[in-house]
Amino acid sequence: MKVFVDGRFLSQPVTGVQRYGRELLSAFDDLLNNQALASSVSIEVLAPHGRALDFTARHIRLRRVGWFSGHIWEQFVLPLAAKGGVLFCPSNTAPIASLLVAQAVVVTVHSLSFLHQPTSYTGTFRCLYGFLVSLTCRFAKAIITPSQAEKQALVSRYPAAAGRIHGVQNGGLPRAFGDEMKEARQHTQELEEPFVLFVGSLVESKNLQTLLEAMTIVNNRTRLPLRVVGGRGNGLRPAKYRIAPAIQRLVNFEGQVGFDRLVGSYRNALCLVLPSYYEASPL
């Protein structure tokens, strides 16, 4: 069986969806260490030309096709390159042509937050994703979503797809890595001032404003900085925040950071706070 992977996400800044795609490719590559499996399944990642890609694998081939990018590449270049196999699209959308010609297409729909929290997205984004997700749920061979709760949300909106929607919880880092984090935190927590960590897009649905208000109350009694990791991606409508003068110097907006730095923040934080109004995948 030939499996093609929509590698458009490899050319994008790494946030949650892109991390999901990268970790899955790594897991697929490990599975192909099994010679019996490798003899019956081949996986090829298709990605646009242009930006240099940070991708290495032992058993998965990367092929650059076409000179467009973004949704244009996905809709017009990818379908031609992915003929003759199963197409896996890990980033919410799939090419319309592949769906309509009855090719076996599997799509991960991470969240319907663009419907449930519309103020966090631009009108163009909501219209485009609403159309593409609707087509996906009508024609895709299978739809993956990261929780049973989100599966029920999809089934409620697209009942005809109920038998093709599968709730599959996102995986995590290896247990050994978690043990290393715990050990490292024990050695470093006394060297660094305690801080609260927030990780997420800077949009209204993530409810950062409530956390800022809570941090103002906390800092009336003790000094406790807040680190905010996350940015404003394409299609997102940035929220406006009010930061009390008393904590302005204690709130550090770090933007999108690399993986190692993000892990270091998780490792050393006093706590992680996620006050979101809506999350598709439970912790």
Side-chain angles (χ1 to χ4, degrees):
M1 181 174 65
K2 182 74 173 180
V3 177
F4 296 103
V5 178
D6 177 355
R8 181 170 69 94
F9 68 90
L10 289 172
S11 62
Q12 300 171 331
V14 180
T15 59
V17 170
Q18 293 77 27
R19 177 59 57 194
Y20 168 89
R22 288 172 178 273
E23 294 298 330
L24 268 186
L25 287 182
S26 178
F28 291 163
D29 197 41
D30 288 342
L31 286 174
L32 291 176
N33 283 328
N34 183 310
Q35 292 185 354
L37 181 62
S39 66
S40 59
V41 177
S42 66
I43 301 176
E44 184 175 61
V45 179
L46 304 173
H49 281 285
R51 179 176 172 178
L53 304 183
D54 177 20
F55 174 80
T56 57
R58 292 161 295 176
H59 310 292
I60 297 175
R61 179 189 174 196
L62 171 66
R63 179 157 59 99
R64 309 291 289 266
V65 295
W67 290 98
F68 296 102
S69 62
H71 286 292
I72 294 177
W73 177 87
E74 184 178 68
Q75 293 299 323
F76 296 102
V77 177
L78 180 61
L80 296 175
K83 286 184 176 180
V86 176
L87 175 59
F88 173 50
C89 301
S91 305
N92 293 306
T93 59
I96 296 171
S98 299
L99 291 167
L100 295 183
V101 299
Q103 180 178 3
V105 180
V106 179
V107 185
T108 298
V109 177
H110 292 268
S111 172
L112 292 179
S113 59
F114 66 94
L115 296 175
H116 300 302
Q117 299 292 326
T119 58
S120 293
Y121 300 86
T122 65
T124 301
F125 183 97
R126 296 198 309 272
C127 290
L128 176 62
Y129 270 65
F131 174 67
L132 292 177
V133 170
S134 177
L135 278 180
T136 292
C137 290
R138 183 175 179 183
F139 294 108
K141 185 74 171 180
I143 302 104
I144 299 169
T145 197
S147 69
Q148 292 300 316
E150 199 65 12
K151 173 184 175 178
Q152 292 307 314
L154 279 163
V155 169
S156 296
R157 190 165 186 88
Y158 308 105
R164 293 178 285 115
I165 300 175
H166 308 275
V168 181
Q169 179 67 45
N170 290 339
L173 295 168
R175 181 179 299 274
F177 187 84
D179 293 339
E180 290 173 5
M181 285 182 61
K182 182 178 180 181
E183 181 180 353
R185 185 175 188 276
Q186 291 173 347
H187 289 300
T188 60
Q189 62 185 354
E190 295 181 359
L191 304 177
E192 186 171 9
E193 181 180 26
F195 64 91
V196 171
L197 177 64
F198 170 94
V199 179
S201 300
L202 302 183
V203 294
E204 185 176 313
S205 63
K206 296 299 183 180
N207 195 23
L208 177 57
Q209 183 59 52
T210 295
L211 176 56
L212 290 168
E213 293 169 5
M215 293 303 297
T216 302
I217 297 172
V218 169
N219 278 279
N220 284 333
R221 298 189 294 268
T222 185
R223 176 185 167 87
L224 188 60
L226 171 65
R227 292 186 186 178
V228 178
V229 175
R232 300 176 173 91
N234 293 333
L236 299 179
R237 182 175 292 161
K240 297 180 179 179
Y241 302 110
R242 300 178 304 278
I243 305 176
I247 66 166
Q248 284 184 350
R249 293 186 178 182
L250 296 174
V251 180
N252 183 20
F253 287 84
E254 299 188 356
Q256 290 181 332
V257 302
F259 183 63
D260 290 342
R261 185 173 170 185
L262 179 60
V263 168
S265 294
Y266 280 128
R267 174 187 295 152
N268 297 317
L270 177 66
C271 63
L272 173 71
V273 181
L274 294 174
S276 304
Y277 292 121
Y278 184 94
E279 290 290 345
S281 181
L283 296 176

